[in-house]
Amino acid sequence: MTTPSPTADTGAELLPIATPARTRAALRSLIRPDRALALTGIGILVAATAVGLLVQPLLGRIVDIVADSRPAGDLTLPVVLLVAVAVVQGLTTTLGLTRIARLGETVLARLRERFVERALNLPADRLERAGAGDLTARVTGDVARVAEAVRSALPEMARSVLAIVLTLGALALLDLRFLLAALLAVPVQLLTARWYVRRALTLYADQRVANGAQQQQLLETIGGAVTVRGHRLEEQHTERSAGRSRKAVDLTMRSVNLVLGFYGRLHIAEYIGLAAVLIAGFWLVRDGAVSIGTATAAALYFHSLFGPVNAALVLLDDAQSAAAGLARLVGVTDLAEQPEPANVKPEAGKAEGGKTAAGKPEAGRTAPAPVPRQRIASSEAAVTVHAVSHAYGPGRPVLHDVSLTLEPGEHVALVGTSGAGKSTLARIVAGVQQPTSGTVTAPAGAVSAAAGAGEHPVVLVTQEVHVFTGTLAEDLRLARPDATDADLRTALSTVHALDWAEALPDGLATVVGEGGHRLDPARAQQLALARLVLADPALAVLDEATAEAGSAGARVLERSAEAALASRTALVVAHRLTQAVAADRVVVLEAGRVVESGPHDELRDADGPYAALWRAWSGSRTTAPHP
């Protein structure tokens, strides 16, 4: 269960935050596979703590020996035992903390994997409403805080809690009245913890939201720097960034003041408890109920509680911060785990796919669709879109009752003016976007005509190209990990990219991506198309994947796309109408509705919307494109 999505001052509808109960349940599910490791680690820490509790009685024994003026030789045994206790406790504590740390790292890795897996399957429109800053803050800041808590707070908290419980038990064994005296500090500590927790959780959650809004503003300002300068909006954007930074700083200072008040209250509790134990010891020794050594041991026991009690309570700061971050992460995983809407056909074969943390397909990556699809026979339609409508929010309709059928092996070009809904329909067909209403039936296990095909039923290639850091071969194998070097060369040759790939400094072993050999946009797009060839899907969806064709390599890039789409069903959002000429059929979208459908020649001669688009496009060319 998650709380309703908060709204930052950016106006974005932020991703949801899990409730405390749901966060605890998610944490239990993360730990459950490693229960044995958890129990073993805690058991060893219990033993280590129990051994360490022998220190105070041994020191009390030494005090009694000195007070009774016994021979110096009587000190030998307690001193030797103190050394033995120190060695045994050190070894067992190290072993126990190591196992607890291993548990924490395992759980943290599982959390990261689950978050990434779920985030990759979030609907694109949901992430667009939230903004990139919110997800970026969760991926970076929230994961970092949870990681910090797991690596430092978890082992220390486990040891502190065990030390507190066992030390209080040891005080009771010395004399129950020592325990009662020590417990006088508990009300102050509990009130302090309650005072802190009630303020901290909300404060840290607000701080995370403010940081997300700050990052969102920075991303928008930096990403749109050219536009900002062009419209002379530098001062406005600077003021917005400063305002959101001031809000984040204000919340940070409030958290600092909260922590300072927390520490001050803890010191008062320490003074009360220690004074009570010393007074109790004075009266008990005076009445002959206990020895001086026993009273000394009791005082040392309580003094030894300063560290673990303060650590446990102080760690509430890390725990509350980590809990706020964990709730935000679980909110994302729960959002992605929501059941598919009824307008999606039952799953018959699930494809694994890759998308960015923004929920969109990784730019330029051949990303198999994550949406469940219905298996089809080769004699059936490759894709059927029936009465699909979609809106990105109330009052923001994009598609209206769109129906479309693609036959096996058919190439359909999707054209229309900007804002007609072409990319939205393409994402819905590819399975990246969920329609608001209507049904989509697409391959989920269908095999394309090419040999060895069929691992990925649907692949989407976008205009936004991303080259992953690593060797060129590794980048290509993202689409098919078991591909041989010969397979990679064949794919590159298919899209007319083999010559420049082999001319790189180290050929397929050349490091590309950030920090490596830079590929220009056209070559990066050819790389994305080569991934499509390697994935060999039954259905390929190209969303303006050849928009870079306006460059000098336009004809090569278009030929690359044509070769990559050979022998497979394809839906192409056409940036250049030469792609519509080469298609088997052209579908024209206008204001989210299909207004025309048919071959290029037929629509061009019909003097309808497509003919108007053709005249406008061809008229803008210095020479008419070849038919």
Side-chain angles (χ1 to χ4, degrees):
M1 182 177 181
T2 56
T3 60
S5 302
T7 301
D9 58 3
T10 61
E13 182 186 347
L14 301 183
L15 295 168
I17 299 173
T19 62
R22 174 58 196 142
T23 303
R24 290 191 295 270
L27 185 58
R28 287 193 296 269
S29 70
L30 289 169
I31 295 175
R32 191 172 297 117
D34 296 291
R35 285 174 295 182
L37 181 62
L39 293 174
T40 303
I42 292 174
I44 295 174
L45 283 180
V46 169
T49 305
V51 170
L53 292 177
L54 296 175
V55 171
Q56 288 83 357
L58 289 172
L59 290 175
R61 178 64 176 167
I62 292 174
V63 170
D64 283 338
I65 291 173
V66 174
D68 294 341
S69 301
R70 298 180 188 177
D74 291 352
L75 295 173
T76 303
L77 180 59
V79 169
V80 171
L81 290 176
L82 281 173
V83 174
V85 166
V87 173
V88 173
Q89 185 185 25
L91 293 175
T92 52
T93 299
T94 300
L95 180 59
L97 290 178
T98 299
R99 297 189 71 83
I100 293 295
R102 183 181 301 171
L103 170 68
E105 290 296 334
T106 303
V107 170
L108 178 60
R110 189 174 293 121
L111 171 65
R112 281 174 167 162
E113 291 168 2
R114 185 175 297 182
F115 177 80
V116 171
E117 178 186 359
R118 299 292 189 264
L120 292 180
N121 290 293
L122 287 176
D125 59 333
R126 183 65 186 85
L127 287 167
E128 288 170 356
R129 294 199 304 272
D134 186 32
L135 189 66
T136 300
R138 299 189 191 215
V139 171
T140 55
D142 292 325
V143 170
R145 288 191 178 274
V146 173
E148 182 181 355
V150 165
R151 289 169 180 154
S152 59
L154 178 62
E156 186 63 30
M157 178 68 84
R159 184 170 62 173
S160 297
V161 170
L162 289 174
I164 293 168
V165 172
L166 295 179
T167 301
L168 292 176
L171 276 171
L173 290 176
L174 291 179
D175 192 289
L176 186 60
R177 287 165 287 190
F178 285 128
L179 175 61
L180 295 176
L183 292 179
L184 291 177
V186 172
V188 179
Q189 292 167 336
L190 291 179
L191 288 173
T192 298
R194 184 169 179 267
W195 173 84
Y196 176 77
V197 170
R198 291 177 62 182
R199 290 162 175 77
L201 189 57
T202 301
L203 179 58
Y204 284 124
D206 291 344
Q207 196 174 1
R208 300 282 82 71
V209 172
N211 288 339
Q214 182 187 31
Q215 290 193 35
Q216 178 69 27
Q217 181 61 48
L218 290 174
L219 287 171
E220 291 178 354
T221 300
I222 295 172
V226 174
T227 303
V228 170
R229 288 195 297 268
H231 290 272
R232 299 294 188 269
L233 299 175
E234 296 94 335
E235 185 175 346
Q236 295 179 26
H237 276 258
T238 300
E239 180 57 33
R240 288 177 190 172
S241 298
R244 286 167 187 161
S245 295
R246 284 194 296 269
K247 184 174 181 179
V249 170
D250 178 64
L251 288 169
T252 300
M253 293 308 300
R254 285 173 55 189
S255 68
V256 170
N257 291 330
L258 182 66
V259 171
L260 292 176
F262 179 64
Y263 280 124
R265 287 165 172 80
L266 287 184
H267 293 325
I268 294 173
E270 291 174 358
Y271 298 147
I272 292 173
L274 184 57
V277 170
L278 290 174
I279 292 171
F282 171 78
W283 288 105
L284 291 174
V285 170
R286 193 187 68 170
D287 294 341
V290 299
S291 67
I292 296 176
T294 301
T296 301
L300 291 173
Y301 270 137
F302 187 80
H303 188 273
S304 70
L305 284 174
F306 285 9
V309 168
N310 287 348
L313 293 177
V314 168
L315 285 174
L316 286 174
D317 181 64
D318 293 334
Q320 292 303 311
S321 181
L326 182 60
R328 284 161 56 82
L329 298 178
V330 173
V332 173
T333 65
D334 282 355
L335 179 64
E337 286 179 328
Q338 292 173 354
E340 299 289 350
N343 55 14
V344 179
K345 296 287 186 175
E347 179 178 19
K350 187 174 183 180
E352 297 179 355
K355 292 187 288 180
T356 63
K360 297 181 180 179
E362 288 180 350
R365 179 177 178 177
T366 51
V371 178
R373 298 293 172 186
Q374 183 183 45
R375 183 184 296 274
I376 61 173
S378 60
S379 61
E380 297 180 3
V383 180
T384 299
V385 179
H386 178 67
V388 163
S389 297
H390 188 72
Y392 288 107
R396 298 175 57 196
V398 179
L399 297 177
H400 305 272
D401 198 30
V402 173
S403 294
L404 176 67
T405 298
L406 279 72
E407 300 298 333
E410 184 181 22
H411 289 186
V412 174
L414 201 59
V415 303
T417 58
S418 178
K422 305 185 297 298
S423 293
T424 299
L425 181 57
R427 291 205 300 257
I428 289 174
V429 170
V432 172
Q433 190 79 49
Q434 295 285 348
T436 302
S437 63
T439 59
V440 179
T441 303
V447 177
S448 69
E455 180 184 357
H456 300 311
V458 184
V459 163
L460 171 66
V461 181
T462 71
Q463 176 184 357
E464 299 171 348
V465 180
H466 182 77
V467 179
F468 294 85
T469 301
T471 66
L472 181 63
E474 292 171 342
D475 203 302
L476 288 166
R477 287 193 176 98
L478 290 170
R480 203 171 99 201
D482 61 347
T484 64
D485 285 352
D487 294 331
L488 303 185
R489 289 188 173 87
T490 299
L492 289 168
S493 177
T494 300
V495 298
H496 310 289
L498 184 59
D499 289 343
W500 65 255
E502 290 187 331
L504 293 174
D506 298 310
L508 294 178
T510 302
V511 175
V512 295
E514 186 175 356
H517 186 89
R518 182 182 178 275
L519 299 182
D520 62 46
R523 288 183 175 182
Q525 191 65 70
Q526 284 183 305
L527 179 59
L529 292 170
R531 295 192 199 114
L532 185 150
V533 173
L534 287 167
D536 201 7
L539 170 64
V541 179
L542 269 60
D543 184 4
E544 297 190 352
T546 60
E548 182 60 26
S551 67
R555 193 58 56 82
V556 172
L557 197 52
E558 286 193 351
R559 288 206 315 269
S560 298
E562 291 173 5
L565 298 179
S567 303
R568 71 182 90 254
T569 308
L571 178 65
V572 179
V573 177
H575 175 77
R576 293 167 53 89
L577 291 189
T578 49
Q579 296 171 289
V581 175
D584 299 315
R585 182 159 50 101
V586 179
V587 173
V588 183
L589 280 182
E590 192 172 278
R593 292 181 171 87
V594 175
V595 294
E596 277 189 311
S597 177
H600 162 75
D601 292 337
E602 179 182 313
L603 296 183
R604 183 191 57 189
D605 297 336
D607 201 25
Y610 179 75
L613 288 173
W614 176 260
R615 286 193 298 270
W617 184 82
S618 59
S620 69
R621 321 305 294 173
T622 55
T623 58
H626 70 284

